[in-house]
Amino acid sequence: MVAALARPDITSPFGTYRAEGLVKFAWALADRHDLSAFLRKRIRSLVARVFSGPYDTVVEGLKFRLYPGGNYDDRKMMAKGRLPEQAEHRLIAPLLGKDRVFVDVGANIGTYSLFAAASGAEVLAVEASPDTADKLAFNLAANGASDVRIARTAVGAEDGELSLWREPSNAGFATLVEDLTQGEWAGNWSAFRVPVRPLADVVAEAGLTRIDVMKIDVEGFEDRVLVPYLSTTSRDLWPRAILLETNCRPHWTEDCLSLLTRLGYEQAGETRDNILFSLKA
C-alpha cells in the first residue's frame, strides 16, 4: 500500500509560497549537527509537522518549490540556503557548459539538472517517482529550463515494471532495492509499481548521440542501470565522465567499479558518497 502523501502543487505560480524567517530558522535548527542524532531527529520530526511546505525559494540563483517535510534535498536547501552535494558539483562543473550533454539518472527535484542547465549544457533528466517528477518539472519550468527533457521512468536491464519503495520523510531516497528498506534505513516504507526501461532506449529516444557527463544516483540500483547500458551501446555513446553514487554499494549485485576499470575508465575524483570516473582517450 502506498503511503498517503499530499500531492505537490504544480499549478500555482512560483512565489505563491514564501519562506519566512521562522521557517528557515526552524529548519536550520533541525539540521544542527552539534546536537545529538536523537535530539536532531526529534526536532526534525516536530519541524516537519509544522513547516512541511511547500515553500518557494531561490538557492544559488535557482528557483525551487521545496517540501522540506518530505525530502532530504529540500531540507538541506531550506536549512543551509545552498545546493546540496556541493563537492560533487565542483567535480563536474569543469565538464559542463555549452555544447555539453548531461544525463541525470535519479534526477530527484532537479538540483543537478538545473545546475547543469544553468551552465548551458543539454540535459536529459530521468526520474521514476511520479510525484517527484512533477516537482522536477515544476522547478524546471520556474527556471525557464523548458528544453530539459524528462524521462518519467525507472531504468534497468529490460522493459517491464518494478516496485519502487518510498519512505514519506525522504521522497528522494526512493529505491527499487527492497533489501535497502531494512536495517540502517528501516522506516515507514511502502511500494508502488513503476515502468522500467533500458537506459540505452531512453537515451536513443531523446536523440542523444553522445554523453559528456552521466550522474547515477538510484539508491543501490546503480549497477543495474550502468552495466546493461555499457554492455549494449557503442563506445561513442559511453559517457566521457560518470558520477556514480557508491554509498549503497553493498546492495549492488555486480561490481561496477571493476567493470569501469576494465572498460578504460579511471577515477578522477571522490567525495563521501560518490566517485567520478573519466573515460581515457
Side-chain angles (χ1 to χ4, degrees), residues 13-15 56 62-65 114 135-146:
F14 182 85
D56 294 338
L62 300 173
K63 298 176 181 178
F64 292 93
R65 175 160 289 172
L114 281 168
K135 296 174 185 178
L136 168 66
F138 178 89
N139 292 334
L140 292 172
N143 287 275
S146 57

Side-chain angles (χ1 to χ4, degrees), residues 23-157:
V23 175
K24 296 179 179 180
F25 171 81
W27 279 110
L29 177 63
D31 193 58
R32 281 183 53 177
H33 284 256
D34 58 338
L35 302 175
S36 70
F38 173 78
L39 182 56
R40 190 166 65 248
K41 184 176 180 179
R42 292 292 298 272
I43 294 172
R44 186 174 68 232
S45 177
L46 174 61
V47 173
R49 287 198 298 270
V50 180
F51 301 113
S52 61
Y55 301 107
D56 294 338
T57 190
V58 179
V59 180
E60 296 186 25
L62 300 173
K63 298 176 181 178
F64 292 93
R65 175 160 289 172
L66 301 179
Y67 297 77
N71 199 21
Y72 174 86
D73 281 3
D74 301 53
R75 288 196 286 276
K76 284 296 179 183
M77 285 191 280
M78 185 63 69
K80 302 292 189 184
R82 59 169 173 78
L83 295 176
E85 300 191 31
Q86 290 198 318
E88 286 81 1
H89 287 175
R90 285 193 294 269
L91 282 178
I92 65 173
L95 310 175
L96 299 173
K98 193 176 186 317
D99 300 324
R100 300 292 177 89
V101 178
F102 178 69
V103 175
D104 188 357
V105 182
N108 201 336
I109 64 166
T111 56
Y112 277 91
S113 288
L114 281 168
F115 177 77
S119 78
E122 180 181 356
V123 178
L124 170 63
V126 184
E127 176 52 50
S129 176
D131 284 359
T132 303
D134 283 345
K135 296 174 185 178
L136 168 66
F138 178 89
N139 292 334
L140 292 172
N143 287 275
S146 57
D147 52 345
V148 172
R149 284 162 289 188
I150 302 177
R152 294 172 175 259
T153 184
V155 286

Side-chain angles (χ1 to χ4, degrees), residues 244-258:
L244 184 67
E245 186 178 61
T246 56
N247 66 337
C248 295
R249 182 180 175 185
H251 296 277
W252 293 354
T253 60
E254 188 165 353
D255 186 358
C256 292
L257 308 188
S258 60

Side-chain angles (χ1 to χ4, degrees), residues 171-228:
F173 198 60
T175 181
L176 296 167
V177 182
E178 184 176 358
D179 287 349
L180 190 143
T181 67
Q182 309 299 318
E184 178 184 357
W185 288 298
N188 185 27
W189 294 88
S190 59
F192 56 100
R193 303 292 281 180
V194 294
V196 181
R197 300 180 62 199
L199 180 58
D201 291 353
V202 176
V203 167
E205 187 174 279
L208 302 183
T209 57
R210 79 170 198 282
I211 299 171
D212 293 289
V213 184
M214 178 182 288
K215 164 246 177 185
I216 308 177
D217 175 357
V218 285
E219 319 308 345
F221 208 70
E222 290 82 9
D223 60 320
R224 281 149 283 189
V225 171
L226 185 58
V227 174

